[in-house]
C-alpha cells in the first residue's frame, strides 16, 4: 500500500521551498484556459510529457493572427507587415530568453523533422570514417536520424546507459571520444528515465575532443527553458507544443556550425541563418504565436516579483521558480513508488535529479492500467513512448511498455494527492 504520510509530505515540502519563492498556483492556472473547460473538470492531467496545455497568451496570439492578418508576411501592405513583425518578434524574444542571438533560432514543424533536416546537413558535411556518438537513452527522434547515416559510411557509436539505473556516465563517453568523432548527440533528460544530464560537463568533454554537440531538450524545456548560451551545446532542440505553445519545433544552432553545414533550404535563402535549416515555408501563425510563450514567462516573472522581467535573466528566474515547485510536488510521488517490490521506478528517486516525468515498469502491459487510472480521473499514458532502445537496455519489454506519469509546474497539489491515491487502487 502507498503510505498516506507521503501525501502529507507534499505540503511540507512546498513550505520548505518557500524560503526562496512560492509559486502562486491560482495565478498560474488562470493562464491556462484548459482548467476552465467543463469537459476537463475532475480530470487530473499527467501526460504532459506528450504535450502540455497551451497558455492563454499563445492562444490569443494565434487567434489574432488567423483573424486579423492571415496573409503572406513581409509584403508592403499593412496587414502583411504586422504578420512579419509578429514572426520576427517571436524569434527575437525567444532568442533573448534562451541567451542566444536572434539569427541562431529556427522554427520547424516538429523536433523530429528538425533533427532529420540536421542529419541531412551532416550527411553532406561528414566524411566516411568519421564518427557520431548517440545514446540509447534518447527518444528515437534524437537517435534514429543520426543512426541512418551509417548508410553514408559514417560510423555511429552508442553511448550506453547503465541497465539498472538508466544513467549516462560521462566517463563512458570520454572513453569513446577520439579525433574522428565529429558529433555527440544526447538528451538533456530522457522521456522515460527522467534523469537530468549534465549538459555543460558533457559538452566540454566533446568540445575538448573536437566534436560538436546536439542536445535534445524536448523533455527538459517544459520544466524551465535553459540559458542555452551558457550551457554551451552547438545545437539545442525542443518542442513548443510541450512548452505551453503551438505545434512547432524550435532549434538553436551555433552560428559557426551553421555556416559550416550545407544549406538545406532554397538556394536563395542560404545567406539567412534562420532559414538555412527550414526546407519548407514556415507555419506563419504558429511561429508568431510562439511569442505568447515568452509573454507567459514574463507574466510569471512579473507576478512573482522578479527583478528582471525580460530576457535570459527573466528566463532563469522562471526556470528556478518552476523547478522549485516541481521538485516539491515530485518527491512524495517518488517516495510512494520507489520501494514497492511489485513495480520498478525508472531513473533517480531524488526529485532534484530528474524531471517530473515518472516511468513505472509494471511487469505487465501498462496501457490497461492507464485506462484504469482514466476511470479514476487520472489522465496518463502507457506504452514505449518512442524510447524503445532505452526500455530494451533496461530490460523492460517495449510491448508491455511503462506507465508514464508526467506533470509540470501548473499541476495542483490536490492532483498529485489524487494520483497517489489512484495508484494505490490500481497497482
Amino acid at each position: 500500500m502507498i503510505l498516506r504520510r507521503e501525501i502529507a509530505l507534499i505540503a511540507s515540502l512546498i513550505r520548505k521551498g518557500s524560503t526562496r519563492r512560492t509559486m502562486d498556483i491560482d495565478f498560474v492556472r488562470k493562464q491556462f484556459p484548459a482548467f476552465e473547460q467543463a469537459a476537463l473538470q475532475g480530470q487530473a492531467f499527467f501526460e504532459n510529457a506528450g504535450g502540455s496545455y497551451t497558455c492563454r497568451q499563445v492562444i490569443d496570439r494565434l487567434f489574432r493572427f488567423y483573424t486579423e492578418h492571415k496573409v503572406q508576411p513581409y509584403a508592403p501592405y499593412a496587414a502583411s507587415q504586422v504578420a512579419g513583425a509578429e514572426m520576427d518578434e517571436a524569434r527575437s524574444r525567444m532568442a533573448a530568453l534562451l541567451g542566444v542571438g536572434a539569427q541562431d533560432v529556427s522554427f520547424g514543424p516538429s523536433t523530429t523533422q528538425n533533427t532529420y533536416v540536421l542529419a541531412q546537413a551532416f550527411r553532406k558535411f561528414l566524411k566516411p570514417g568519421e564518427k557520431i556518438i548517440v545514446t540509447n537513452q534518447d527518444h528515437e527522434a534524437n537517435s534514429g536520424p543520426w543512426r541512418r547515416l551509417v548508410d553514408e559510411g559514417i560510423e555511429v557509436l552508442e553511448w550506453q546507459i547503465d541497465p539498472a539505473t538508466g544513467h549516462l556516465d560521462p566517463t563512458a563517453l570520454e572513453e569513446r571520444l577520439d579525433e574522428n568523432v565529429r558529433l555527440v548527440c544526447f538528451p538533456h533528460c530522457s522521456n522515460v528515465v527522467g534523469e537530468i544530464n549534465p549538459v555543460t560537463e558533457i559538452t566540454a568533454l566533446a568540445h575538448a575532443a573536437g566534436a560538436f554537440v546536439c542536445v535534445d531538450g524536448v523533455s527538459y524545456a517544459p520544466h524551465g527553458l535553459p540559458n542555452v548560451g551558457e550551457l554551451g551545446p552547438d545545437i539545442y532542440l525542443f518542442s513548443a507544443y510541450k512548452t505551453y505553445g503551438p505545434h512547432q519545433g524550435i532549434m538553436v544552432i551555433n552560428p559557426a556550425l551553421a555556416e559550416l553545414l550545407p544549406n538545406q533550404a532554397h538556394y536563395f535563402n542560404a545567406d539567412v541563418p534562420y532559414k538555412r535549416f527550414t526546407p519548407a515555408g514556415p507555419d506563419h501563425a504558429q511561429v508568431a504565436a510562439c511569442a505568447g510563450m515568452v509573454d507567459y514567462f514574463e507574466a510569471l516573472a512579473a507576478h512573482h516579483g522578479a527583478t528582471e522581467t525580460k530576457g535570459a535573466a527573466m528566463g532563469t528566474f522562471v526556470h528556478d521558480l518552476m523547478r522549485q515547485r516541481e521538485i516539491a510536488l515530485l518527491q512524495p510521488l517518488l517516495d510512494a513508488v520507489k520501494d514497492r517490490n511489485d513495480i520498478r521506478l525508472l531513473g533517480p528517486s531524488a526529485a532534484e535529479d530528474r524531471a517530473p516525468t515518472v516511468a513505472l515498469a509494471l511487469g505487465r502491459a501498462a496501457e490497461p492500467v492507464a485506462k484504469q487510472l482514466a476511470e479514476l480521473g487520472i489522465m496518463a499514458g502507457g506504452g514505449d513512448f518512442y524510447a524503445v532502445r532505452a526500455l530494451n537496455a533496461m530490460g523492460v519489454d517495449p510491448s508491455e511498455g511503462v506507465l508514464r506519469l508526467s506533470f509540470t509546474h501548473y499541476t495542483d497539489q490536490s492532483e498529485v494527492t489524487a494520483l497517489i491515491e489512484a495508484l494505490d487502487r490500481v497497482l
Side-chain angles (χ1 to χ4, degrees):
M1 297 288 288
I2 294 175
L3 299 177
R4 293 298 186 270
R5 68 180 179 83
E6 308 294 356
I7 298 172
L9 276 175
I10 298 174
S12 66
L13 280 169
I14 290 177
R15 285 194 295 271
K16 289 176 184 177
S18 67
T19 56
R20 290 193 294 161
R21 186 81 59 174
T22 300
M23 180 174 282
D24 183 348
I25 190 61
D26 292 332
F27 173 82
V28 167
R29 287 168 76 93
K30 286 177 182 176
Q31 312 308 307
F32 291 87
F35 293 118
E36 302 169 359
Q37 303 309 303
L40 293 172
Q41 296 305 302
Q43 305 292 306
F45 187 36
F46 284 96
E47 183 48 326
N48 289 272
S52 67
Y53 285 151
T54 306
C55 63
R56 188 181 307 277
Q57 293 85 346
V58 167
I59 295 170
D60 289 347
R61 282 181 176 268
L62 193 62
F63 180 81
R64 185 176 71 221
F65 195 100
Y66 275 122
T67 54
E68 296 182 12
H69 35 263
K70 177 61 178 70
V71 296
Q72 187 68 16
Y74 304 110
Y77 49 92
S80 180
Q81 290 290 297
V82 173
E86 290 193 357
M87 293 174 66
D88 292 343
E89 177 192 357
R91 179 174 293 102
S92 62
R93 291 177 66 202
M94 183 61 66
L97 191 158
L98 296 169
V100 298
Q103 298 292 309
D104 305 345
V105 174
S106 298
F107 294 90
S110 70
T111 293
T112 300
Q113 286 195 239
N114 286 344
T115 307
Y116 268 94
V117 171
L118 290 169
Q120 289 304 303
F122 272 92
R123 181 174 67 86
K124 293 290 188 179
F125 175 66
L126 298 178
K127 301 178 179 62
E130 292 186 324
K131 304 174 184 177
I132 294 176
I133 294 178
V134 299
T135 85
N136 59 351
Q137 193 191 60
D138 278 279
H139 184 290
E140 190 64 16
N142 197 39
S143 178
W146 305 112
R147 292 173 187 267
R148 294 186 182 193
L149 297 185
V150 168
D151 297 337
E152 307 297 325
I154 306 303
E155 186 176 352
V156 177
L157 307 177
E158 187 175 79
W159 176 16
Q160 297 181 341
I161 58 176
D162 182 302
T165 65
H167 175 67
L168 275 176
D169 183 358
T171 303
L173 168 66
E174 197 168 10
E175 293 170 354
R176 287 183 166 272
L177 291 169
D178 62 33
E179 66 277 5
N180 290 321
V181 175
R182 302 304 307 278
L183 181 66
V184 177
C185 306
F186 66 95
H188 201 153
C189 73
S190 161
N191 69 326
V192 291
V193 177
E195 181 173 13
I196 299 170
N197 293 316
V199 172
T200 301
E201 176 188 351
I202 296 168
T203 297
L205 288 174
H207 283 174
F212 296 109
V213 171
C214 176
V215 175
D216 178 356
V218 170
S219 294
Y220 184 88
H223 312 293
L225 286 173
N227 186 322
V228 177
E230 288 186 352
L231 281 181
D234 303 285
I235 302 169
Y236 193 93
L237 307 116
F238 66 98
S239 297
Y241 75 96
K242 297 184 180 183
T243 316
Y244 324 115
H247 204 293
Q248 283 286 284
I250 299 176
M251 53 183 168
V252 176
I253 308 177
N254 181 289
L257 173 60
E259 289 183 9
L260 291 174
L261 294 175
N263 172 46
Q264 299 300 300
H266 300 307
Y267 74 92
F268 44 78
N269 285 332
D271 294 333
V272 184
Y274 65 84
K275 293 182 179 180
R276 286 177 64 85
F277 305 100
T278 308
D283 187 318
H284 305 142
Q286 292 198 60
V287 170
C290 284
M293 297 162 60
V294 186
D295 290 339
Y296 171 57
F297 296 142
E298 290 180 354
L300 274 183
H303 182 78
H304 289 89
T307 303
E308 299 289 340
T309 56
K310 295 186 182 299
M314 175 276 295
T316 297
F317 178 93
V318 172
H319 170 280
D320 293 349
L321 187 69
M322 289 179 173
R323 286 290 295 150
Q324 177 192 349
R325 177 169 178 83
E326 289 176 350
I327 288 169
L329 291 178
L330 176 58
Q331 192 60 57
L333 173 60
L334 297 175
D335 290 344
V337 299
K338 66 183 178 66
D339 294 326
R340 293 180 63 118
N341 57 17
D342 57 340
I343 60 176
R344 177 185 174 192
L345 167 67
L346 302 189
S349 58
E352 60 268 23
D353 295 333
R354 64 179 299 149
T357 300
V358 179
L360 304 177
L362 309 179
R364 54 190 165 117
E367 190 170 350
V369 179
K371 184 176 180 180
Q372 288 180 281
L373 287 174
E375 294 168 355
L376 298 174
I378 303 295
M379 296 185 282
D384 61 46
F385 302 103
Y386 298 91
V388 174
R389 298 179 198 272
L391 296 183
N392 276 326
M394 289 184 285
V396 178
D397 184 350
S399 66
E400 293 180 347
V402 292
L403 178 67
R404 191 172 71 173
L405 313 164
S406 54
F407 64 88
T408 75
H409 68 287
Y410 57 50
T411 300
D412 190 71
Q413 176 182 331
S414 64
E415 293 173 327
V416 177
T417 299
L419 171 62
I420 293 174
E421 292 179 338
L423 288 173
D424 211 9
R425 295 177 61 179
V426 303
L427 295 179

